């Protein structure tokens, strides 16, 4: 099992750091899956996570100048590692002006991702900062736990409002309530509602637009036959929503959510080279 | 009232006058005697560079190891032997000797010291814009970080972790108070309390829970302030240890070490002080100070005044 990768382009480095920062805000520990073409940051829906799950996919070619990996076996050319994304985020944080960043899987005392940052210095030779980030190798028999989640059979799919606006609304609501209701219809309308003993607050968004999902064998027919005005809603943990919104450092190209009434809300945030899916289950 | 007051009137724009009454304790200066010029390893570097290096370590990192050979300099995070490596992230920074304004390595060494204290020094040195000199020896011997300016000279002397295999004798658990820092903190707190009530700043101060965790409680009922208390507790230990142990008394190299707050680092001790005037004849003064400090238990008012940085 081998892995080594290198980034020399500063823009790519910044992009990668941003992705890692976002992941670090969403999960304390997560799984990094490496394949020949892609990297995935995965969080599966265990009770410990509060039932949220996350799937983030990157094309390695968009970030790395060099990328070599050899998986556990020829027919399973993949590596699954469990790590604390905060560590990776920290290692990359001080690499803002780096000449090069190398990442390598090593195993001295224990398996580590060794991040080597070559920094410019006043002297002839560069300054080299190395971070050894401990990781756990996930054995092949557990790989099934980390499959890509299916898009749920949603009732309503709608584009999100400007994330900045949504974030400030949700942040203020967070002070008043632990849970928030997201409701939306196929007419481009979304409401964010909180209700406490003392006060109830609703923020209305209009003209958001609904993404066209290609129907696959009529499995989306439930959405298509739906009354346009009828709202699908789910009550979710407001903190999880706030974490998702706060973690977005750049505006995504596309941001939408799929609501399964009273069950789950599925967020999809697409950037040029990264896609992030985040599932927040409805509260009982 | 035995404490002195320093008054400050600040006239504000709207005609409001704010008065600060700062109380402070006169206390005995304890100075570490450490012959910097006898250290085989001397590095001089701008404080900016040191700060740029330390930024790579997480703020929670307690200790770092500085490792030098004539060819390279390396700072790396220190983890105890029984630390869980599968959970700890380790950071290492390698530098070329070229980066230092002055680089002298007489003996290959690795010294481990408290990073948190160093960060304090770096924050302080930002104001002076001068180079920081690092004088050190082998592990177990102290490391001194010094800043010199036109108006001040400051030396921070930190103990270093000794190599257990070497069995060096420099880990005497002597205690002494970290006077400037404690007085400063004492003043900050008193300022607040005297703003609230004109009365007894000393009464307010004595409520402060600021105690060295490793000390045993001597006189909880005494009217002495926390600073004085620390003196008494520590002096008791000093006397006890002076009798029993042989101090390493190479000429000009007596070292005082104070017990660290973190009780798990029993071996790990440090002393902090700031000098205003570069008086270098402190050797005889040191033993005199130790003896005097022990008297302060009863004789509060007779403490000598000290210049606090």
């Amino acid at each position: 099992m081998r892995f080594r990768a290198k980034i020399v382009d500063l823009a790519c480095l910044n992009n990668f750091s941003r992705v890692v920062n976002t992941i670090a805000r969403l999960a304390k520990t997560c799984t990094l899956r490496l394949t020949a073409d892609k990297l995935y940051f995965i969080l599966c829906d265990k009770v410990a996570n509060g039932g949220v799950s996350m799937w983030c996919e990157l094309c390695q070619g968009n970030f790395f100048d060099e990328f070599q990996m050899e998986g556990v076996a020829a027919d399973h050319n993949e590596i699954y590692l469990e790590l604390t994304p905060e560590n990776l985020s920290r290692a990359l944080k001080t690499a803002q002006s780096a000449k090069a960043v190398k990442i390598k899987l090593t195993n001295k005392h224990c398996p580590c991702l060794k991040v080597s940052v070559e920094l410019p210095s006043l002297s002839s030779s560069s300054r080299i900062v190395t971070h050894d980030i401990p990781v756990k190798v996930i054995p092949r028999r557990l790989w099934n736990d980390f499959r890509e989640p299916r898009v749920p059979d949603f009732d309503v799919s709608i584009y999100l409002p400007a994330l900045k606006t949504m974030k400030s609304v949700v942040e203020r609501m967070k002070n008043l309530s632990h849970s928030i209701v997201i409701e939306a219809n196929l007419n481009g309308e979304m409401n964010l509602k909180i209700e406490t003993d003392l006060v109830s607050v609703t923020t209305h968004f209009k003209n958001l637009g609904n993404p066209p999902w290609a129907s696959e064998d009529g499995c989306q027919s439930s959405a298509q036959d739906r009354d346009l005005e009828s709202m699908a809603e789910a009550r979710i943990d407001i903190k999880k929503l706030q974490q998702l919104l706060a973690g977005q450092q750049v505006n995504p190209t596309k941001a939408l959510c799929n609501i399964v009434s009273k069950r789950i809300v599925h967020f999809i945030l697409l950037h040029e080279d990264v896609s992030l899916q985040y599932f927040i289950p409805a509260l009982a | 009232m035995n404490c002195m007051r320093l008054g400050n009137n600040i006239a504000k724009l709207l005609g409001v006058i704010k008065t600060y009454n700062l109380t402070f304790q006169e206390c005995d200066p304890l100075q570490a005697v450490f012959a910097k010029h006898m250290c085989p390893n001397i590095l001089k570097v701008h404080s900016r560079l040191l700060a740029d290096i330390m930024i790579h370590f997480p703020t929670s990192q307690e200790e770092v190891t500085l490792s030098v050979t004539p060819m390279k300099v390396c700072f790396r995070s220190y983890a105890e032997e029984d630390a869980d490596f599968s959970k700890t992230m380790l950071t290492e920074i390698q530098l070329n000797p070229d980066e230092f304004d002055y680089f002298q390595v007489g003996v290959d060494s690795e010294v481990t010291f408290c990073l948190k204290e160093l960060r304090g020094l770096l924050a302080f040195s930002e104001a002076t814009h001068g180079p920081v000199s690092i004088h050190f020896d082998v592990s177990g011997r102290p490391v001194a970080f010094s800043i010199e300016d036109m108006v001040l000279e400051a030396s921070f002397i930190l103990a270093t972790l000794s190599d257990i295999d070497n069995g060096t004798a420099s880990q005497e658990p002597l205690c002494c108070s970290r006077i400037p820092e404690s007085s400063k903190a004492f003043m900050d707190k008193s300022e607040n309390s005297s703003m609230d009530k004109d009365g007894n700043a000393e009464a307010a101060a004595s409520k402060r829970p600021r105690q060295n965790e490793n000390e045993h409680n001597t006189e909880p009922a005494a009217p002495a302030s926390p600073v004085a208390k620390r003196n008494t507790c520590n002096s008791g230990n000093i006397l006890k240890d002076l009798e029993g142990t042989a101090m390493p008394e190479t000429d000009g190299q007596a070292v005082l070490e104070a017990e660290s707050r973190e009780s798990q680092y029993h071996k790990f001790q440090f002393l902090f002080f700031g000098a205003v005037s570069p008086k270098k004849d402190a050797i005889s003064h040191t033993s005199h100070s130790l003896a005097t400090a022990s008297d302060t238990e009863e004789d509060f008012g007779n403490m000598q005044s000290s210049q606090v940085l």
Side-chain angles (χ1 to χ4, degrees), chain B residues 109-122:
Chain B
S109 81
E110 287 192 359
V111 288
T112 302
F113 52 88
C114 185
L115 176 59
K116 287 190 168 166
E117 296 300 321
L118 180 59
R119 286 198 206 272
L121 157 71
L122 292 177

Side-chain angles (χ1 to χ4, degrees), chain B residues 172-190:
Chain B
E172 265 75 36
L174 300 172
C175 305
C176 60
S177 48
R178 295 160 60 199
I179 291 161
E181 185 169 286
S182 56
S183 296
K184 173 176 171 299
F186 177 70
M187 286 196 298
D188 289 346
K189 193 68 186 197
S190 303

